[in-house]
Amino acid sequence: MLLDIIATKYNYAGFIFLMCIGLWAMIGKRNLPKKILGMSIFQTAIMLFYISISVKTNATLPIIDAHGAHGHDLHVRAADYLNPLPHVLMLTAIVVSVATLGVALALVQKVYREHETLEEPEILEQLRK
């Protein structure tokens, strides 16, 4: 029973693994670019998870061909079509993720110019003086 669930949902284990790597990099690393890389990995794992749960077998794109009806009643079953909302939300998340990454790297560059290091403990030590 448990092995069947694991065998059919192995992609979730991959997403959890990626999320753990990203979380570990954000919390455990002392280097600021490595923390930012961890944040990016964490965000990517969440996006992949949402796209994965939106998969629907034997479904098609949500485009209705009204010209094919030729005057007949057009019967549309929503169950036959994919839900585009998760994909649209993840496209927005990708844009926000790229913008966040760019701002974070610019801030890291500013920190490096001011403190001449990217190691968090050394920066904190300089701030305490």
Side-chain angles (χ1 to χ4, degrees):
M1 178 73 178
L2 182 62
L3 290 176
D4 292 338
I5 293 172
I6 292 173
T8 57
K9 306 291 183 186
Y10 62 91
N11 55 340
Y12 296 150
F15 304 141
I16 291 171
F17 182 70
L18 274 177
M19 287 174 64
C20 289
I21 289 173
L23 192 63
W24 172 73
M26 285 191 297
I27 294 173
K29 295 293 181 182
R30 303 286 182 168
N31 188 289
L32 294 179
K34 289 179 181 176
K35 286 180 178 277
I36 293 170
L37 182 64
M39 179 185 72
S40 183
I41 291 171
F42 191 83
Q43 290 173 335
T44 302
I46 292 173
M47 289 176 215
L48 289 174
F49 172 72
Y50 271 96
I51 290 172
S52 176
I53 62 173
S54 70
V55 170
K56 197 174 187 182
T57 55
N58 297 328
T60 184
L61 298 174
I63 300 171
I64 299 171
D65 185 18
H67 299 293
H70 299 293
H72 303 291
D73 289 336
L74 186 64
H75 299 286
V76 177
R77 288 180 13 140
D80 294 338
Y81 296 98
L82 292 170
N83 184 2
L85 187 61
H87 301 282
V88 171
L89 289 174
M90 290 309 108
L91 281 175
T92 305
I94 289 169
V95 171
V96 170
S97 171
V98 169
T100 305
L101 181 65
V103 170
L105 289 175
L107 289 174
V108 164
Q109 187 179 21
K110 177 100 174 150
V111 166
Y112 182 75
R113 285 183 185 155
E114 191 166 322
H115 298 281
E116 296 181 356
T117 183
L118 293 176
E119 298 297 322
E120 186 180 7
E122 295 174 16
I123 294 169
L124 292 174
E125 186 65 31
Q126 288 179 11
L127 292 175
R128 288 186 189 120
K129 291 180 183 176

